[in-house]
Coordinates of all heavy atoms in Angstrom, one line a residue:
R1 N 6.0 -4.7 5.4 CA 6.9 -4.7 6.6 C 6.9 -3.4 7.3 O 6.8 -3.2 8.4 CB 8.3 -5.2 6.2 CG 9.3 -5.2 7.3 CD 10.7 -5.6 6.8 NE 11.7 -5.4 7.8 CZ 12.3 -4.2 8.1 NH1 12.0 -3.2 7.3 NH2 13.1 -4.1 9.0
I2 N 7.2 -2.4 6.5 CA 7.3 -1.0 7.0 C 6.0 -0.5 7.6 O 6.1 0.1 8.7 CB 7.9 0.0 5.9 CG1 9.3 -0.4 5.6 CG2 7.7 1.4 6.3 CD1 9.8 0.3 4.3
T3 N 4.9 -0.7 7.0 CA 3.7 -0.2 7.5 C 3.3 -1.0 8.8 O 2.7 -0.4 9.7 CB 2.5 -0.3 6.5 OG1 2.3 -1.6 6.0 CG2 2.7 0.7 5.3
A4 N 3.7 -2.2 8.9 CA 3.5 -3.0 10.1 C 4.3 -2.4 11.3 O 3.9 -2.3 12.4 CB 3.8 -4.4 9.9
L5 N 5.6 -2.0 10.9 CA 6.5 -1.4 11.9 C 6.1 0.0 12.4 O 6.6 0.4 13.4 CB 7.9 -1.4 11.4 CG 8.6 -2.8 11.1 CD1 9.9 -2.6 10.5 CD2 8.8 -3.5 12.5
M6 N 5.2 0.6 11.6 CA 4.9 2.0 12.0 C 4.0 2.0 13.2 O 3.9 3.0 13.8 CB 4.1 2.6 10.8 CG 5.0 3.0 9.6 SD 4.2 3.5 8.2 CE 3.5 5.1 8.7
R7 N 3.4 0.9 13.6 CA 2.5 0.8 14.8 C 1.5 1.9 14.9 O 1.3 2.6 15.9 CB 3.3 0.7 16.0 CG 4.2 -0.5 16.1 CD 5.0 -0.6 17.3 NE 5.9 -1.7 17.3 CZ 6.8 -2.0 18.2 NH1 7.0 -1.2 19.2 NH2 7.5 -3.1 18.1
L8 N 0.7 2.1 13.8 CA -0.3 3.1 13.7 C -1.5 2.6 14.5 O -1.7 1.5 14.6 CB -0.8 3.3 12.2 CG 0.3 3.8 11.3 CD1 -0.2 3.8 9.8 CD2 0.7 5.2 11.6
S9 N -2.2 3.5 15.1 CA -3.5 3.2 15.8 C -4.4 2.8 14.7 O -4.3 3.0 13.5 CB -4.0 4.5 16.5 OG -4.5 5.4 15.5
P10 N -5.5 2.0 15.1 CA -6.5 1.6 14.2 C -7.1 2.7 13.4 O -7.4 2.6 12.2 CB -7.5 0.9 15.1 CG -6.8 0.4 16.3 CD -5.8 1.5 16.5
E11 N -7.3 3.8 14.0 CA -7.9 5.0 13.4 C -7.0 5.6 12.3 O -7.4 5.9 11.2 CB -8.3 6.1 14.3 CG -9.3 5.7 15.3 CD -8.7 4.9 16.5 OE1 -7.5 5.0 16.8 OE2 -9.5 4.2 17.2
D12 N -5.7 5.7 12.6 CA -4.7 6.1 11.6 C -4.5 5.1 10.5 O -4.4 5.5 9.4 CB -3.4 6.4 12.3 CG -3.5 7.7 13.2 OD1 -4.4 8.5 13.0 OD2 -2.5 7.8 14.0
R13 N -4.5 3.9 10.9 CA -4.3 2.8 9.8 C -5.4 2.9 8.8 O -5.2 2.5 7.6 CB -4.3 1.4 10.5 CG -3.9 0.3 9.5 CD -2.6 0.5 8.9 NE -2.3 -0.6 7.9 CZ -2.5 -0.5 6.6 NH1 -3.1 0.5 6.1 NH2 -2.2 -1.5 5.9
Q14 N -6.7 3.3 9.2 CA -7.8 3.3 8.2 C -7.6 4.4 7.2 O -8.1 4.3 6.1 CB -9.1 3.6 8.9 CG -9.5 2.4 9.7 CD -10.9 2.7 10.4 OE1 -11.3 3.8 10.6 NE2 -11.6 1.6 10.8
R15 N -6.7 5.3 7.5 CA -6.4 6.4 6.5 C -5.2 6.1 5.6 O -4.9 6.9 4.7 CB -6.1 7.7 7.3 CG -7.3 8.2 8.0 CD -7.2 9.5 8.7 NE -6.2 9.6 9.8 CZ -5.0 10.2 9.7 NH1 -4.7 10.9 8.7 NH2 -4.2 10.1 10.7
L16 N -4.6 4.9 5.7 CA -3.6 4.5 4.9 C -4.0 3.3 4.0 O -4.2 2.2 4.5 CB -2.4 4.1 5.8 CG -1.1 3.6 5.0 CD1 -0.5 4.6 4.0 CD2 -0.1 3.1 6.0
A17 N -4.1 3.6 2.8 CA -4.6 2.5 1.8 C -3.3 2.0 1.1 O -2.5 2.8 0.7 CB -5.5 3.1 0.7
V18 N -3.2 0.7 1.1 CA -2.2 0.0 0.4 C -2.7 -1.0 -0.6 O -3.5 -1.8 -0.2 CB -1.2 -0.7 1.3 CG1 -0.1 -1.5 0.6 CG2 -0.7 0.2 2.4
R19 N -2.4 -0.8 -1.9 CA -2.9 -1.7 -3.0 C -1.8 -2.2 -3.8 O -0.7 -1.5 -4.0 CB -3.8 -0.9 -3.9 CG -5.0 -0.3 -3.2 CD -6.1 -1.3 -2.8 NE -7.2 -0.6 -2.2 CZ -7.3 -0.4 -0.9 NH1 -6.4 -0.7 0.0 NH2 -8.5 0.2 -0.5
Y20 N -2.1 -3.4 -4.4 CA -1.0 -4.1 -5.3 C -1.8 -4.4 -6.6 O -2.9 -4.8 -6.5 CB -0.5 -5.4 -4.6 CG 0.0 -5.1 -3.2 CD1 -0.7 -5.5 -2.1 CD2 1.2 -4.3 -3.0 CE1 -0.2 -5.3 -0.9 CE2 1.6 -4.1 -1.8 CZ 1.0 -4.6 -0.7 OH 1.4 -4.2 0.6
Y21 N -1.0 -4.4 -7.6 CA -1.5 -4.6 -9.0 C -0.6 -5.6 -9.7 O 0.6 -5.5 -9.5 CB -1.6 -3.3 -9.7 CG -2.5 -2.3 -9.0 CD1 -1.9 -1.2 -8.3 CD2 -3.9 -2.3 -9.1 CE1 -2.7 -0.3 -7.6 CE2 -4.6 -1.3 -8.5 CZ -4.0 -0.4 -7.7 OH -4.8 0.6 -7.0
D22 N -1.1 -6.3 -10.7 CA -0.3 -7.1 -11.5 C 0.6 -6.2 -12.4 O 0.2 -5.1 -12.8 CB -1.2 -7.9 -12.5 CG -1.9 -9.1 -11.9 OD1 -1.3 -9.6 -10.8 OD2 -2.9 -9.5 -12.4
G23 N 1.8 -6.6 -12.5 CA 2.8 -5.8 -13.3 C 4.1 -5.5 -12.5 O 4.2 -6.0 -11.3
G24 N 4.9 -4.9 -13.1 CA 6.2 -4.6 -12.5 C 6.2 -3.1 -12.0 O 5.2 -2.6 -11.5
H25 N 7.3 -2.4 -12.1 CA 7.5 -1.0 -11.5 C 6.5 -0.1 -12.2 O 6.0 0.7 -11.5 CB 8.9 -0.6 -11.8 CG 9.2 0.6 -11.1 ND1 9.4 0.7 -9.7 CD2 9.5 1.9 -11.5 CE1 9.7 1.9 -9.3 NE2 9.8 2.7 -10.4
M26 N 6.2 -0.3 -13.5 CA 5.2 0.5 -14.2 C 4.0 -0.4 -14.4 O 3.6 -0.6 -15.6 CB 5.8 1.0 -15.5 CG 7.0 1.9 -15.2 SD 7.5 2.8 -16.7 CE 7.7 1.7 -18.0
F27 N 3.3 -0.8 -13.4 CA 2.2 -1.7 -13.4 C 1.1 -1.2 -14.2 O 0.3 -1.9 -14.8 CB 1.7 -2.0 -12.0 CG 1.2 -0.8 -11.3 CD1 -0.1 -0.4 -11.4 CD2 2.0 -0.2 -10.4 CE1 -0.6 0.7 -10.8 CE2 1.5 1.0 -9.8 CZ 0.3 1.4 -9.9
Y28 N 1.0 0.2 -14.3 CA -0.1 0.8 -15.1 C 0.0 0.6 -16.6 O -0.9 1.0 -17.3 CB -0.2 2.3 -14.7 CG 1.2 2.9 -14.7 CD1 1.9 3.3 -15.8 CD2 1.8 3.1 -13.4 CE1 3.1 3.9 -15.7 CE2 3.1 3.7 -13.4 CZ 3.7 4.1 -14.5 OH 5.0 4.6 -14.4
S29 N 1.1 0.1 -17.0 CA 1.3 -0.2 -18.5 C 0.5 -1.5 -18.8 O 0.3 -1.9 -20.0 CB 2.7 -0.4 -18.9 OG 3.3 -1.5 -18.2
W30 N 0.1 -2.3 -17.8 CA -0.8 -3.4 -18.0 C -2.2 -3.0 -18.0 O -2.7 -2.2 -17.1 CB -0.7 -4.4 -16.9 CG 0.7 -5.1 -16.9 CD1 1.9 -4.6 -17.2 CD2 1.0 -6.5 -16.4 NE1 2.9 -5.5 -17.0 CE2 2.4 -6.7 -16.5 CE3 0.2 -7.5 -15.9 CZ2 2.9 -7.9 -16.2 CZ3 0.8 -8.6 -15.5 CH2 2.1 -8.9 -15.6
K31 N -3.0 -3.2 -19.1 CA -4.4 -2.7 -19.2 C -5.2 -3.0 -18.0 O -5.9 -2.1 -17.5 CB -5.1 -3.3 -20.4 CG -6.4 -2.7 -20.7 CD -7.0 -3.2 -22.0 CE -8.3 -2.6 -22.2 NZ -9.0 -3.1 -23.4

C-alpha cells in the first residue's frame, strides 16, 4: 500500500526492491 502511494516514477521504482518470504517477523529463522 505504502509503496503504491509513493507514486514513484518508473525509473525510481526500479531501484526499490520488495520481497516476501515464508515466515513471520523473523522469517530468516526458516531455512
Side-chain angles (χ1 to χ4, degrees):
R1 179 182 169 276
I2 289 169
T3 55
L5 291 173
M6 289 173 69
R7 297 185 181 170
L8 298 172
S9 70
E11 298 82 20
D12 288 344
R13 184 61 180 95
Q14 287 181 342
R15 295 185 294 114
L16 175 62
V18 180
R19 302 286 184 271
Y20 307 108
Y21 304 97
D22 284 336
H25 192 70
M26 298 189 315
F27 62 85
Y28 42 81
S29 64
W30 294 31
K31 185 177 180 180

